[in-house]
Amino acid sequence: MIPDSRIAHAQYKNSIKKEFFRKSIHLCSALIPTLLAYAYWQMLACLIIVLCIYVVSELLRMRGKQIPVIAHVTEAASRKRDENRFVLGPVTLVLGVLVTALIWKGDAARIGIYALAFGDGLASLAGKLFGRMTIPFTRGKTVIGSLMCFVAVFCSAYAVCKDVWITLILASVAMLVELMPLKDFDNLVIPVVIGALASALLP
């Protein structure tokens, strides 16, 4: 009989692998502002097509039919709470990027998308790997994860606008939003809110 500690360790390693895979997709979204700068409408069209294909794939998967590559990627990235359910994370991720790019322009959109890619992405990884102290009423969010969100948004926003005070505000708000127990909807809320705030604060 396998000891409980070994089972728990194996489950932990599996959850870390899944988190790395999921957040690598998050981090890849940081490339989108550059692609939008060169081919704005074409990139938006590609995102919409990817979103539609994914939704169809998930609906088929829920009926026991699979589109081979997409279904395997979804299963590799899905968390325990996603078992036997429509995996919503990729939908809100693409929608967050799309809505931010459509509503906010230029630097505001870039900052919003970077907040999603780096702030939310790295916060979750840091929390999983190093988080020991959880924050009450946040459904398991950790102090180290929140601090990582602040640092990541501060650095990425400063790289765009070069204003310390604006980036302090943006990073603080992003950290507060990331703390909310929004589940997969933080992918939609974070870039839109930070993009809106950047749009209001940037000269």
Side-chain angles (χ1 to χ4, degrees):
M1 187 173 179
I2 301 174
D4 290 344
S5 60
R6 288 179 61 187
I7 294 173
H9 182 66
Q11 290 174 337
Y12 175 76
K13 284 180 66 177
N14 186 53
S15 71
I16 291 297
K17 285 181 183 178
K18 284 181 176 288
E19 199 66 22
F20 265 107
F21 187 74
R22 287 179 61 250
K23 295 311 175 182
S24 67
I25 298 171
H26 255 72
L27 292 171
C28 285
S29 64
L31 299 173
I32 292 175
T34 301
L35 297 173
L36 287 169
Y38 287 99
Y40 182 80
W41 292 110
Q42 293 91 330
M43 191 61 207
L44 291 183
C46 286
L47 288 172
I48 292 169
I49 290 168
V50 168
L51 178 61
C52 291
I53 292 171
Y54 174 79
V55 170
V56 170
S57 173
E58 274 298 273
L59 291 174
L60 288 173
R61 188 178 68 85
M62 297 300 293
R63 290 175 168 80
K65 302 174 183 178
Q66 295 189 342
I67 297 178
V69 175
I70 300 172
H72 289 312
V73 169
T74 302
E75 288 174 4
S78 62
R79 293 164 293 192
K80 188 172 181 60
R81 76 182 190 207
D82 295 321
E83 289 178 0
N84 303 315
R85 292 175 53 196
F86 187 104
V87 181
L88 193 58
V91 174
T92 56
L93 178 68
V94 175
L95 284 177
V97 172
L98 274 172
V99 173
T100 303
L102 286 169
I103 296 178
W104 315 119
K105 303 301 179 186
D107 287 348
R110 288 175 66 196
I111 289 170
I113 294 170
Y114 288 159
L116 171 62
F118 298 117
D120 185 46
L122 295 177
S124 181
L125 275 179
K128 280 276 188 183
L129 289 171
F130 310 112
R132 297 294 180 269
M133 187 183 300
T134 58
I135 302 170
F137 312 113
T138 61
R139 295 186 182 178
K141 300 292 178 73
T142 64
V143 172
I144 191 69
S146 295
L147 290 174
M148 177 57 75
C149 178
F150 178 90
V151 171
V153 175
F154 182 90
C155 292
S156 60
Y158 184 79
V160 175
C161 74
K162 303 295 191 296
D163 187 303
V164 172
W165 296 110
I166 289 176
T167 53
L168 275 173
I169 294 169
L170 292 169
S172 299
V173 172
M175 182 178 66
L176 291 174
V177 174
E178 198 275 332
L179 276 174
M180 297 178 184
L182 299 171
K183 295 186 178 179
D184 290 320
F185 288 98
D186 59 356
N187 293 338
L188 181 57
V189 175
I190 288 174
V192 173
V193 169
I194 299 305
L197 187 58
S199 182
L201 293 174
L202 291 175

